Amino acid sequence: LIKGRRIDEELFEDLEGLLITSDFGLETSVAIIEEVRQRHHREMIKQPEMLRQLLRQVVLERLQSSQVDPQPWPEKPGVILVVGVNGVGKTTTIGKLAHYYRGQGQSVMLAAGDTFRAAAVEQLRLWGQRCDCPVIAQQQGSDSASVIYDAHNAAMSRGFDLLIADTAGRLHTKVNLMEELKKINRVLGRQGSRTTHEVWLVLDATTGQNAHSQVKRFHDDLGVTGLIITKLDGTAKGGVVVGLTQAFNLPIRFIGVGEAMEDLRPFDPEQFVEGFF
Amino acid sequence: ALSDRLDQVFKTLKGQGSLSEKNMEDALREVRRALLEADVHLSVVKSFIAKVKDEASGQKVLNSLTPGQQVIKVVHDELVAIMGERNEQLNLAAQPPVVVMMVGLQGSGKTTTTAKLAKRLLDRHQKKSLLASLDVYRPAAMEQLATVGREAGVDVFPGRPDADPRDIAQQALEAARRGGQDILFLDTAGRLHVDDDLMQELEDIKKLLDPLEILLVADAMTGQDAVGIARRFNERLDITGVILSKTDGDARGGAALSIRHVTGKPIKFLGTGETLSGLEPFHPDRIASRILG
Ligand SMILES: Nc1nc2c(ncn2[C@@H]2O[C@H](COP(=O)(O)OP(=O)(O)OP(=O)(O)O)[C@@H](O)[C@H]2O)c(=O)[nH]1
Ligand SMILES: Nc1nc2c(ncn2[C@@H]2O[C@H](COP(=O)(O)OP(=O)(O)OP(=O)(O)O)[C@@H](O)[C@H]2O)c(=O)[nH]1
Ligand SMILES: [Mg+2]
Ligand SMILES: [Mg+2]
């Protein structure tokens, strides 16, 4: 797009269009291009290639500001509560996370907290088998918080390093379903001396600006501690996360790049930005 | 909301003259902003705005509406016109069993929607369906369809995940013929529109079973990628319709306009919830209002 062109207003417009069609969103795209415009003036940039570097840098800075290195689990077991709207890839991601942490020598237990959807428990059980992790479950229709509570007790008494809890997909606008998650949060928060567990919100890379509403609601209700972006192996670039990390100051923990157990990578801002430009 | 922003643009214009070039420029900028925030694809927005500009320019300002309301009316009417007729039914005009194939990206709602459709056809039209899962990849996919099929009160073909989807499809067709079912639903595995092998798999199944309906199930929260996704599925399969799922959230649903614009195919139903009753016929005016915000 930039090759061999002169740096003029038309080029800036085209770059803004590129950001918009990568789901950065109108407001964020305009703000980024404005910053590029100002800095290119100050830094007296003449070559188009330097402009590409500048654009990359501006986007990278926005992503890096909210990235913090992952810390070791504060207690044993570490607990990760996985949440998100329907179909984004929570259950699959949990299978991948279990494999990832097993690969680091940790013992992992899974809690089948989706007590609602057809065959949700079976799906998680199969993932548990693949990485040799026990899955704590009750029958369909049971209380999600009670399954997760039981799993947490089991993980504590059996000395597991990590418990990952699956939850049913739910639209963030459904108050009663969000109340169920708040209850799970409280239940996890009161056990033993535990007051901190991770709450990771899974977002689908094909999602557009609705991601803002999703993050806002889940974060307001639960205190999200990390994001996971799935389906980046498709053509969607997930540009919406740039505006998200700025607005909510949340770290992106992992990205999903396929449907197999190994298709999970720790988030690398530089690689992510490469994908755009 | 867009109506407030447009009223701002036109606050000096109330009840006099006509919509001029200048105030149209500002108004259209607000419409562009609303559509982009609603996830309509940039190229679709550009072409849409050009059309609206033609429609609205030079219109006399009506006494019954503010200029802002007038612009919204032009935009709204144009959106509805593009979105197409409300409530286009499933095409079931063939010797039974009529084959309906459900396709789309991972997690878009195909399996759930398959059962919803079968339930609707049974309850409202007394049509009997056989559901067949061709998803040999996703863990417990076949169990999921078996469970929702049972809930819907319809038969589910007992497939196996170690079989080839093409074979399962043909066996299911045989079973539907023997069982005297009116409709055979093929629930396919979610896939990327850029996965050539898996798109070829769909083409093969289409060739073998000649479905009367090929329905793209698309998530209402899809962003700019909706154009690329819909274009690919349509190019390779010549889809016959679209179902927009998860419209019970607060996604503006601009993907609906993008998909319609790039494929020209009708949006037939809306997914409106997680339970099997969560399916409604498509309402162009409701979706248009929601996209405008
Ligand atoms: N291509 C691709 N597909 C993915 C990825 N992550 C998950 N999927 C697929 O997305 C679909 C949905 O995944 P699930 O794990 O069932 O999603 P979920 O959020 O648990 O869904 P619900 O529990 O129903 O809300 C499945 O077909 C997965 O294989 C990814 O990174 N890339
Ligand atoms: N709220 C809401 N949820 C829906 C709707 N349609 C489907 N879902 C949910 O979306 C999630 C994914 O649905 P599935 O039917 O498994 O999607 P799929 O396309 O078959 O997924 P893959 O086979 O993995 O590609 C499930 O949690 C469904 O309950 C809808 O209209 N509204
Ligand atoms: Mg799940
Ligand atoms: Mg499915």
Side-chain angles (χ1 to χ4, degrees), chain A residues 86-92 96 117 123 169 231 233 256 258-259:
Chain A
N86 309 69
V88 294
K90 299 176 291 301
T91 306
T92 306
K96 297 174 185 175
R117 208 208 68 211
Q123 185 186 7
K231 308 180 195 172
D233 47 316
E259 301 185 70

Side-chain angles (χ1 to χ4, degrees), chain A residues 20-21 23 26 86 117-119 123 126 169 171-174 206-210 213-214 231 233 235-236 259, chain B residues 33 36-37 39 42 106-107 138-140 144 147-148 192-194 221-225 246 248-251 274:
Chain A
I20 290 174
T21 55
D23 282 318
L26 180 61
N86 309 69
R117 208 208 68 211
Q123 185 186 7
L126 286 166
L171 296 182
H172 48 295
T173 46
K174 308 215 165 171
T206 65
T207 306
Q209 299 311 302
N210 192 245
S213 178
Q214 292 178 28
K231 308 180 195 172
D233 47 316
T235 51
E259 301 185 70
Chain B
R33 178 162 102 165
L36 287 177
E37 287 175 350
D39 292 323
L42 181 62
Q106 292 91 344
R138 169 175 159 153
Q144 184 188 1
T147 303
V148 292
L192 297 177
H193 51 302
V194 291
M221 64 188 186
T222 311
Q224 297 282 304
D225 220 37
K246 309 178 204 171
D248 44 314
D250 61 357
E274 284 157 315

Side-chain angles (χ1 to χ4, degrees), chain A residues 147-240:
Chain A
V147 175
I148 293 176
Y149 181 84
D150 285 354
H152 194 207
N153 278 334
M156 281 193 291
S157 67
R158 287 159 63 175
F160 272 75
D161 295 309
L162 180 64
L163 170 69
I164 312 179
D166 194 7
T167 61
R170 69 206 64 214
L171 296 182
H172 48 295
T173 46
K174 308 215 165 171
V175 177
N176 57 328
L177 298 183
M178 294 305 285
E179 282 305 316
E180 177 185 68
L181 282 185
K182 285 186 193 174
K183 177 177 167 193
I184 294 171
N185 231 15
R186 284 196 299 276
V187 156
L188 283 172
R190 276 199 293 264
Q191 305 243 65
S193 64
R194 156 167 303 293
T195 53
T196 59
H197 52 275
E198 299 286 334
V199 179
W200 289 359
L201 174 64
V202 180
L203 298 172
D204 185 326
T206 65
T207 306
Q209 299 311 302
N210 192 245
H212 281 275
S213 178
Q214 292 178 28
V215 176
K216 174 146 185 30
R217 295 285 187 111
F218 276 95
H219 194 38
D220 282 352
D221 284 356
L222 304 176
V224 171
T225 61
L227 302 175
I228 297 188
I229 318 298
T230 59
K231 308 180 195 172
L232 278 169
D233 47 316
T235 51
K237 305 278 190 327
V240 66

Side-chain angles (χ1 to χ4, degrees), chain B residues 140-157:
Chain B
M142 294 185 163
E143 285 89 328
Q144 184 188 1
L145 186 68
T147 303
V148 292
R150 193 168 42 242
E151 263 178 63
V154 299
D155 296 328
V156 183
F157 180 76

Side-chain angles (χ1 to χ4, degrees), chain A residues 79-119:
Chain A
V79 177
I80 304 172
L81 181 66
V82 178
V83 301
V85 304
N86 309 69
V88 294
K90 299 176 291 301
T91 306
T92 306
T93 298
I94 290 172
K96 297 174 185 175
L97 285 170
H99 172 71
Y100 176 84
Y101 286 112
R102 292 278 287 135
Q104 298 193 336
Q106 297 190 28
S107 57
V108 181
M109 174 181 281
L110 307 181
D114 182 349
T115 53
F116 168 77
R117 208 208 68 211

